[in-house]
């Protein structure tokens, strides 16, 4: 059985009852880090089968999407997808891939857990925060116009339904992951109706989760606390723009986007992704760090209830990072992608 | 400011009588200047008292017109605001609010430029050293326009307004400040990849102004990357200019990096008036009246007032004394890891002045 498994590592295994998962390898270092993740998942004998799909460089639909209708249908059908980094095409006439996925698949929540990694030195040890960001509306509704020459308006939309969805998700997430506190971040002192609505909805939802401590904080005070002492912060839920800023701030606290997992959650499907860039200067040179994509994949396994496999791979990864003998260039080491991958496989 | 502090801290007796310490005044400039003082509530009176005590010890030629019980609803009070050019503000807030009401001053007096200085103090434990950042934030529009309405039950629109005029004048202020302060780089912070028109307009204004200051390096950075860079590597930043909301967030991140709310100094400058108060506007109601509040931020803000009024020597002396008290004598209030009371701290600063 083992021999058969080893021989078939490099091809898609036509196994029965394996759950299919969509994979968008991406551009630049995307294919290399995707291969690393595939190899590690294989070695851990994770019962999933990858289905490869492409993100195109030019629009392939009338709306300017960079992925085909078929791909979108498949994501909805298979429910889980993992996405590598991709290039932003130059020029106009296309819709950003993130916007496509978000709008067409109704991915209303963006979840970014940030936990300090032993072995990665940052000025902020002991961080363990999760940013849950409303992903569909707010300041990113794209509704802008010039009122008169020199005066421009941007409309920030806050709707009860979207607030309800994200607040509900945040508390469910906290409950399912044994988190103790949820903080709602807002600027309701200034945007009394907009963020005021968001806050009120969070308050109402909190009442159904008495075991979780709910509090609220203005976004600027939250930013201060994160930069000053992030160890006291647990789960944060917030509207779109603040979530964008805070999730990147948190990534900075633990060592950067190269180590950060991210998940986009919808009611019907979930897309996990590496949020760093394509690093074209090191693409194809076997130097890339696959940790971000790997951690996102682990997040996906946990969502698929394959916790045993997820935990094994996670423990192995953290162990290699802590030991520090096989680190890629971005973390100050000299190992190649394949070396690092092999080190993790050895630890499984 | 950086150069003044560095040279002063060297405590070099040869500096006495050196060029930078001498002020060549027009006859009569040493006459008393009137400055409005609003102590406010909570920790406000404690920290403004600290400032007054120290100003008296130094014989600063300033007379404070104190406005106790200042209220924006009261038209008489409001008129008195316009009397003097400069206002020193403690802490003003409506009852039961966690955050201060400074924006009312900004709107009424059109104080369009909000500046906070954040630099690493050697005596305070912090995660990044050698930080020296000035954040210049547009203070009158953007997300703080307060224009909102419920379009449909359960659907609210908040309108962020950006004008070319406001963007141009804040960019102009930022570059002018960098020019006159000997600063090397201005970073414009934005989210124009998503909010193409509003932040695009802001960037356009910054680019236009930067053309006239070709000797100052100009760069642009997206707000989320900026926050990440601030917690990873803040020494790369010099002067930063940005619209209202991002300014609020970045000012707080920068205060968090350099040692906390107690240390951040802030000023709001307009064409005809200027307001000086703490950089971060937390009301500190939980520590009011207990004599434990850190008056450093207020003291450093008062030195900004002195610089604005053309009294740099007094400003240098106070900065030096505060630094000396914290760094050399190791006397700190609770928020930065010590156990001195407000009064003790103030007295120690006065003793340092005498040296």
């Amino acid at each position: 059985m083992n021999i058969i498994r080893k021989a078939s590592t490099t091809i898609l295994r036509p196994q029965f009852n394996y759950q299919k998962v969509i994979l968008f390898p991406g551009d630049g270092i995307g294919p290399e880090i995707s291969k690393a993740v595939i190899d590690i998942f294989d070695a851990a004998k994770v019962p999933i089968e990858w289905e490869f799909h492409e993100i195109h460089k030019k629009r392939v639909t009338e709306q300017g999407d960079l992925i085909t209708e078929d791909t979108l249908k498949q994501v909805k059908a298979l429910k889980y997808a993992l996405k590598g980094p991709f290039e932003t095409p130059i020029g106009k006439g296309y819709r950003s891939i993130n916007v496509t996925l978000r709008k067409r698949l109704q991915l209303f929540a963006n979840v970014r857990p940030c936990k300090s990694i032993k072995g990665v030195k940052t000025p902020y040890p002991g961080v363990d925060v999760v940013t849950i960001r409303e992903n569909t509306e707010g300041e990113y509704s794209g509704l802008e116009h010039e009122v008169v020459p020199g005066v421009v308006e941007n409309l920030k939309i806050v709707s009860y339904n979207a607030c309800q969805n994200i607040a509900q998700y945040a508390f469910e997430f906290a409950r399912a992951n044994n988190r103790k506190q949820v903080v709602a971040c807002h600027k309701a002192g200034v945007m009394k109706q907009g963020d005021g609505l968001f806050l009120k909805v969070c308050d109402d939802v909190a009442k159904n989760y008495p075991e979780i401590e709910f509090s609220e904080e203005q976004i600027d005070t939250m930013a201060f606390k994160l930069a000053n002492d992030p160890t006291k912060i647990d789960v944060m839920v917030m509207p779109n723009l603040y979530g964008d800023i805070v999730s990147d701030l948190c990534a900075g606290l633990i060592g950067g986007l190269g180590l950060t997992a991210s998940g986009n959650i919808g009611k019907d499907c979930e897309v996990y992704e590496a949020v760093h860039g394509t690093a074209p200067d090191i693409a194809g040179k076997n130097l890339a760090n696959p940790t971000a994509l790997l951690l996102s994949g682990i997040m996906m396994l946990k969502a698929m209830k394959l916790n045993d496999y997820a935990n094994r791979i996670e423990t192995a990864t953290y162990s290699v990072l802590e030991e520090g003998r096989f680190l890629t260039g971005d973390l100050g080491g000299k190992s190649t992608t394949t070396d690092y991958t092999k080190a993790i496989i050895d630890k499984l | 400011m950086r150069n003044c502090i560095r040279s002063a801290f060297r405590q070099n007796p040869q500096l006495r009588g050196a060029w930078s310490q001498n002020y060549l005044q027009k006859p009569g400039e040493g006459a008393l200047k009137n400055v409005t003082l609003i102590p406010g509530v909570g920790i406000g009176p404690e920290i403004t008292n600290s400032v007054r005590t120290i100003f008296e010890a130094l014989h600063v030629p300033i007379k404070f017109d104190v406005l106790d019980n200042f209220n924006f609803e009261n038209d008489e009070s409001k008129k008195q605001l316009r009397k003097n050019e400069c206002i020193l503000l403690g802490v003003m807030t409506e009852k039961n609010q966690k955050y201060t009401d400074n924006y009312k001053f900004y709107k009424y007096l059109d104080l369009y430029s909000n500046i906070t200085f954040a630099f690493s103090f050697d005596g305070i434990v912090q995660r990044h050293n050698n930080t020296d950042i000035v954040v210049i934030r547009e203070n009158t529009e953007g997300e703080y326009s307060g224009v909102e309405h419920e379009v449909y039950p359960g659907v609210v629109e908040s309108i962020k307004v950006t004008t070319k005029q406001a963007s141009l004048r804040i960019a102009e202020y930022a570059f002018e400040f960098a020019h006159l302060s000997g600063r090397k780089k201005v970073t414009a912070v934005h989210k124009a990849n998503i909010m193409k028109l509003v932040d695009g307009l802001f960037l356009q204004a910054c680019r236009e102004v930067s053309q006239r200051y070709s000797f100052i390096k100009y760069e642009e950075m997206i707000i989320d990357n900026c926050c990440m860079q601030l917690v990873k590597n803040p020494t790369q930043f010099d002067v930063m200019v940005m619209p209202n909301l991002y300014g609020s967030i970045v000012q707080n991140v920068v205060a968090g990096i350099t040692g906390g709310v107690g240390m951040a100094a802030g000023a709001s400058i307009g064409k005809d008036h200027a307001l000086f108060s703490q950089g971060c506007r937390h009301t500190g109601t939980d520590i009011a009246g207990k004599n434990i509040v850190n008056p450093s931020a207020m003291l450093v803000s008062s030195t900004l007032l002195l610089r604005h009024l053309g009294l740099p020597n007094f400003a240098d002396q106070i900065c030096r004394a505060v630094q000396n008290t914290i760094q050399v004598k190791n006397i700190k209030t609770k928020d930065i890891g010590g156990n001195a009371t407000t009064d003790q701290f103030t007295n120690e600063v006065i003793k340092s002045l005498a040296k």
Side-chain angles (χ1 to χ4, degrees):
Chain A
M1 199 52 197
N2 277 341
I3 302 169
I4 297 172
R5 209 172 273 287
K6 274 205 185 116
S8 56
T9 318
T10 48
I11 60 173
L12 288 174
R13 295 158 302 167
Q15 294 286 355
F16 318 105
N17 299 331
Y18 270 28
Q19 189 167 356
K20 280 195 190 175
V21 168
I22 304 231
L23 176 63
F24 298 102
D27 308 311
I29 56 173
E32 306 166 64
I33 56 178
S34 300
K35 179 159 191 313
V37 173
I38 295 173
D39 288 344
I40 293 172
F41 276 35
D42 258 3
K45 305 187 177 76
V46 178
I48 64 176
E49 188 187 322
W50 302 102
E51 192 178 286
F52 290 76
H53 282 265
E54 214 185 309
I55 298 173
H56 298 269
K57 302 274 186 305
K58 288 202 259 221
R59 48 187 286 177
V60 290
T61 69
E62 265 182 18
Q63 288 83 26
D65 297 317
L66 299 170
I67 56 177
T68 59
E69 277 296 325
D70 284 337
T71 303
L72 278 170
K73 271 202 211 115
Q74 271 299 82
V75 178
K76 269 199 209 151
L78 299 180
K79 278 200 70 171
Y80 296 98
L82 187 63
K83 180 159 107 12
F86 59 93
E87 253 168 49
T88 316
I90 306 171
K92 303 188 180 173
Y94 71 93
R95 185 152 67 172
S96 136
I97 181 71
N98 284 333
V99 174
T100 303
L101 288 172
R102 190 180 8 109
K103 282 201 145 90
R104 297 296 305 276
L105 302 173
Q106 295 288 297
L107 304 174
F108 65 90
N110 179 283
V111 182
R112 192 181 288 192
C114 288
K115 194 163 168 194
S116 286
I117 300 177
K118 290 208 186 83
V120 176
K121 262 193 105 216
T122 69
Y124 296 91
V127 176
D128 188 0
V129 302
V130 181
T131 311
I132 298 182
R133 156 194 177 189
E134 202 291 319
N135 215 9
T136 62
E137 54 174 32
E139 302 80 348
Y140 291 18
S141 307
L143 297 164
E144 299 183 288
H145 59 272
E146 189 171 40
V147 183
V148 288
V151 178
V152 183
E153 262 181 14
N154 179 55
L155 297 177
K156 163 177 165 166
I157 310 290
V158 180
S159 70
Y160 176 82
N161 288 338
C163 293
Q164 180 73 17
N165 284 340
I166 194 67
Q168 187 75 24
Y169 180 80
F171 281 93
E172 282 296 320
F173 176 91
R175 181 176 270 175
N177 289 281
N178 278 323
R179 310 293 290 213
K180 305 279 178 304
Q181 302 170 342
V182 171
V183 185
C185 301
H186 63 93
K187 194 80 186 165
V190 176
M191 287 176 263
K192 297 187 168 70
Q193 290 185 45
D195 285 352
L197 175 59
F198 172 76
L199 205 53
K200 184 172 173 309
V201 171
C202 288
D203 225 351
D204 287 340
V205 173
K207 298 197 174 84
N208 299 327
Y209 298 83
E211 78 274 16
I212 295 174
E213 197 188 309
F214 172 67
S215 60
E216 44 102 353
E217 194 73 77
Q218 288 226 56
I219 180 64
D220 34 12
T221 314
M222 197 77 233
F224 169 77
K225 289 189 174 168
L226 283 167
N228 194 31
D229 186 11
T231 55
K232 300 201 175 70
I233 301 169
D234 197 347
V235 176
M236 299 173 280
V237 61
M238 60 195 85
N240 213 334
L241 173 67
Y242 312 145
D244 198 355
I245 299 172
V246 166
S247 54
D248 274 7
L249 209 172
C250 293
L253 295 175
I254 62 157
L257 294 177
L259 297 166
T260 309
S262 174
N264 297 294
I265 318 290
K267 286 212 159 79
D268 305 319
C269 51
E270 306 180 3
V271 178
Y272 294 83
E273 60 177 350
V275 286
H276 54 72
T278 52
D281 45 333
I282 58 169
K285 298 186 184 161
N286 198 14
L287 296 170
N289 184 349
T291 309
L293 192 63
L294 184 58
L295 290 177
S296 302
I298 292 170
M299 238 179 115
M300 184 179 74
L301 289 179
K302 290 185 184 172
M304 294 165 73
K305 304 271 188 283
L306 296 171
N307 291 60
D308 286 338
Y309 300 97
N311 290 332
R312 274 179 64 213
I313 301 175
E314 197 174 41
T315 314
T317 312
Y318 284 148
S319 169
V320 170
L321 286 166
E322 186 176 352
E323 248 180 34
R325 280 194 298 140
F326 298 98
L327 295 179
T328 45
D330 58 316
L331 294 176
K334 297 199 176 64
S335 300
T336 59
T337 314
T338 37
D339 283 344
Y340 178 69
T341 312
K342 184 167 180 305
I344 297 178
I345 293 177
D346 286 341
K347 289 267 179 195
L348 283 171
Chain B
M1 187 159 180
R2 179 175 33 177
N3 290 334
C4 290
I5 291 176
R6 280 223 196 101
S7 59
F9 295 158
R10 267 182 236 130
Q11 301 277 343
N12 191 337
Q14 284 167 343
L15 277 183
R16 243 168 260 138
W19 289 111
S20 62
Q21 207 170 334
N22 293 312
Y23 186 79
L24 213 52
Q25 89 285 14
K26 261 206 294 235
E29 257 192 86
L32 275 184
K33 300 184 208 290
N34 288 337
V35 170
T36 311
L37 172 66
I38 303 177
V41 299
I43 53 171
E46 297 175 66
I47 52 182
T48 48
N49 266 339
S50 186
V51 171
R52 295 177 76 171
T53 320
I54 291 176
F55 275 26
E56 266 166 35
L58 263 186
H59 308 289
V60 175
I62 283 183
K63 176 174 172 300
F64 283 116
D65 295 332
V66 183
L67 290 183
D68 283 314
N69 305 317
F70 176 78
N71 195 336
F72 256 106
E73 313 303 317
N74 189 335
D75 279 336
E76 259 305 310
S77 285
K78 263 166 88 166
K79 263 198 254 171
Q80 288 186 308
L81 261 191
R82 290 205 186 271
K83 214 172 86 159
N84 300 319
E85 189 206 330
C86 294
I87 305 164
L88 190 66
L89 173 66
V91 167
M92 267 291 299
T93 182
E94 275 165 35
K95 289 198 175 50
N96 303 325
Q97 268 223 66
K98 271 166 93 175
Y99 305 98
T100 63
D101 273 351
N102 292 22
Y103 71 90
K104 287 191 182 152
F105 289 95
Y106 306 152
K107 280 220 148 85
Y108 183 61
L109 299 170
D110 198 24
L111 306 175
Y112 64 86
S113 172
N114 185 288
I115 318 175
T116 43
F117 297 82
F119 39 88
S120 303
F121 259 97
D122 277 333
I124 299 174
V125 173
Q126 62 207 303
R127 301 173 203 262
H128 302 277
N129 293 317
N130 299 318
T131 309
D132 187 355
I133 302 177
V134 180
V135 180
I136 297 182
R137 156 193 179 189
E138 204 291 321
N139 215 13
T140 59
E141 56 173 29
E143 300 82 350
Y144 288 44
S145 310
V147 183
E148 306 183 279
H149 55 272
E150 190 170 35
V151 182
Y152 183 81
V155 180
V156 175
E157 265 180 12
S158 287
I159 304 185
K160 164 178 169 169
V161 181
T162 305
T163 62
K164 182 114 197 228
Q165 184 202 7
S167 304
L168 273 175
R169 67 181 183 174
I170 192 67
E172 180 63 54
Y173 190 86
F175 277 95
E176 193 179 47
F177 169 84
H179 182 193
L180 296 175
S181 301
R183 296 260 175 182
K184 306 279 181 301
K185 181 167 83 162
V186 173
T187 307
V189 179
H190 65 98
K191 190 81 189 173
N193 52 338
I194 304 281
M195 290 186 259
K196 298 182 164 76
L197 287 187
V198 284
D199 284 356
L201 184 58
F202 174 77
L203 279 189
Q204 235 177 58
C206 290
R207 286 176 193 156
E208 227 178 271
V209 175
S210 76
Q211 310 275 3
R212 284 187 275 118
Y213 292 87
S214 50
F215 47 92
I216 295 177
K217 195 157 172 274
Y218 169 68
E219 69 174 15
E220 298 169 358
M221 199 179 276
I222 301 184
I223 174 72
D224 35 351
N225 185 27
C226 175
C227 286
M228 176 155 46
Q229 295 298 328
L230 278 170
V231 293
K232 283 180 83 180
N233 180 15
T235 52
Q236 64 182 288
F237 294 105
D238 193 349
V239 178
M240 302 171 77
V241 62
M242 60 199 81
N244 216 332
L245 178 66
Y246 312 145
S248 171
I249 295 175
V250 168
Q251 281 175 347
N252 275 272
V253 173
V254 154
I257 306 173
T258 53
V261 171
M263 306 305 300
S268 294
I269 317 265
K271 199 151 156 303
D272 304 315
H273 294 276
L275 181 82
F276 300 90
S277 69
Q278 294 191 127
C280 291
R281 278 108 57 169
H282 307 246
T283 53
T285 33
D286 45 339
I287 56 172
K290 297 186 185 159
N291 200 14
I292 55 173
V293 65
N294 185 349
S296 310
M298 198 70 223
L299 285 172
V300 181
S301 297
S302 70
T303 66
L304 300 180
L305 163 69
L306 292 169
R307 288 186 205 283
H308 194 68
L309 284 174
L311 300 167
N313 216 320
F314 298 101
D316 287 345
Q317 288 188 63
I318 295 179
C319 274
R320 201 191 311 158
V322 171
Q323 176 72 352
N324 187 266
T325 306
I326 295 176
Q327 185 189 347
V328 175
K329 298 203 284 191
N330 206 22
I331 305 217
K332 304 176 197 170
T333 44
K334 190 152 167 266
D335 60 314
I336 47 175
N339 51 17
T341 62
T342 314
D343 290 336
Q344 280 173 337
F345 186 83
T346 309
N347 287 332
E348 288 299 329
V349 171
I350 294 179
K351 282 197 211 147
S352 297
L353 285 173
K355 294 204 185 106

